[in-house]
Amino acid sequence: MRRRSFLTLTGAGLTALVAPASSAAAAAVAAGPRIRVLDTLPGGNGQVHALGRAGLAGGSSANVPVYWTGRTVHRVPFPAGYGFGTGEVRAVNRHGLMAGTVLFPGPGHAVGFSYRRGWRTARILPNSLTANGVNDHGRIVGTGENHTAYVWHRTAVERELPSSSPFAHVTSAVGINNAGTVVGTDTNGAVVWPGGTAGPAQRLMPTELPEGVSYAPAAVDDHGRIVGSAGDFFSDSQYETYWDAPYTADGVRVPGLPGYYDEGYFRAVSPTTGLVVGGAPTSFGSPPGYPPGTAEFWTGTGPIRALPRLQEDGDADAFAAADDGRVGGCAVRDDVLKPVIWTGVR
């Protein structure tokens, strides 16, 4: 099997262009995406996994849940007994409510949590193992014990998400949009729980797959577009894929970046503008014989494009997208994985 590496861009970093004074907006577009590094906790590493309104981001640093205001990093505070576990902030809504997962010592299992700036500590979600998404209405989605998935509101279970059949059980619930549509997987494959419904999960198409082929949904936007990837175990390939509501058509594969050996992942989509981000690793070898892995973006039309990296031979990946053209992720510099935000991504 291939190694699964972090990713980076295939071209040199972009610099500002001198633009006519009559068009500041045109200058920003012409300059292209720019990358900036955020502060970290001692140890120097980190990843951005969530973007709220401008100036607020969430993720991990030194392998613990953190958030950023501007470039400044803050550790998420936890109640006694939870404060030294590893984990990350996985999502943040436009009101600043965060959701994530922490693995704490002692019992040695993970729990989901919510947090907002100004709270004394994070709030542990009941019956949770993970918390992976939050919408602007404060609904949080994730998984629980005994192969369950839940929607939480505040600190209470609001809904249990049933699998697609009585013979399957839920294995993940990874994203929720403002209509309440939830995406995830069960033992039958990739599934969606459409907003406004209360029945079992609906399988994403096609439901009859060749042996070794599987789908991994990652996120859903407010138009109902689901993004993720399609994997082929026998060819060891992974392809960027999306589905559109009402989910009665097969998933659509988007051609990946040239030179990345049939391996690419859509990991996030902006709420309303259709900006999709992810990564394409290099799995067969390392530079200079092979390109470094790359963070990538797709606007819904045209080809997938690469994002700038911090150094020529350093990997990068992208995990979050905002409507204003910000993208959150990580990039290697001097052998250290740095939390980064790209701006001007269009």
Side-chain angles (χ1 to χ4, degrees), residues 169-207:
H169 61 257
V170 176
T171 53
S172 74
V174 295
I176 183 170
N177 68 9
N178 284 330
T181 297
V182 176
V183 294
T185 57
D186 68 14
T187 48
N188 283 329
V191 297
V192 56
W193 293 268
T197 65
Q202 172 184 335
R203 293 186 64 188
L204 293 176
M205 295 181 68
T207 57

Side-chain angles (χ1 to χ4, degrees), residues 116-133:
R116 193 191 303 274
R117 286 184 65 199
W119 290 359
R120 186 174 64 84
T121 67
R123 297 174 180 176
I124 305 303
L125 300 174
N127 306 322
S128 65
L129 292 177
T130 68
N132 299 313

Side-chain angles (χ1 to χ4, degrees), residues 33-265:
R34 299 172 181 236
I35 186 171
R36 100 185 145 172
V37 180
L38 307 186
D39 295 339
T40 60
L41 298 177
N45 66 357
Q47 303 179 51
V48 175
H49 278 269
L51 295 169
R53 287 182 169 174
L56 180 64
S60 65
S61 181
N63 300 316
V64 302
V66 301
Y67 65 97
W68 289 268
T69 52
R71 294 187 178 179
T72 304
V73 65
H74 311 271
R75 188 168 181 158
V76 174
F78 284 93
Y82 296 88
F84 298 97
T86 60
E88 62 194 8
V89 172
R90 296 282 302 176
V92 56
N93 70 13
R94 69 185 181 94
H95 304 297
L97 180 65
M98 306 174 209
T101 302
V102 62
L103 175 67
F104 62 95
H109 65 81
V111 294
F113 67 86
S114 63
Y115 180 72
R116 193 191 303 274
R117 286 184 65 199
W119 290 359
R120 186 174 64 84
T121 67
R123 297 174 180 176
I124 305 303
L125 300 174
N127 306 322
S128 65
L129 292 177
T130 68
N132 299 313
V134 59
N135 67 15
D136 292 337
H137 307 298
R139 269 65 184 185
I140 296 170
V141 67
T143 56
E145 298 177 351
N146 300 317
H147 307 297
T148 55
Y150 297 113
V151 176
W152 292 270
H153 188 217
R154 297 187 174 91
T155 55
V157 172
E158 183 175 78
R159 179 187 172 194
E160 182 173 343
L161 301 169
S163 63
S164 61
S165 80
F167 309 103
H169 61 257
V170 176
T171 53
S172 74
V174 295
I176 183 170
N177 68 9
N178 284 330
T181 297
V182 176
V183 294
T185 57
D186 68 14
T187 48
N188 283 329
V191 297
V192 56
W193 293 268
T197 65
Q202 172 184 335
R203 293 186 64 188
L204 293 176
M205 295 181 68
T207 57
E208 299 298 325
L209 296 170
E211 185 179 1
V213 174
S214 62
Y215 288 123
V220 58
D221 72 8
D222 285 343
H223 304 292
R225 171 163 286 183
I226 297 169
V227 301
S229 59
D232 188 323
F233 176 83
F234 295 108
S235 67
D236 200 16
S237 301
Q238 203 82 15
Y239 306 108
E240 297 93 334
T241 305
Y242 71 90
W243 297 260
D244 283 331
Y247 316 117
T248 55
D250 290 354
V252 178
R253 175 184 166 188
V254 180
L257 283 168
Y260 283 87
Y261 310 104
D262 294 328
E263 188 171 8
Y265 303 79

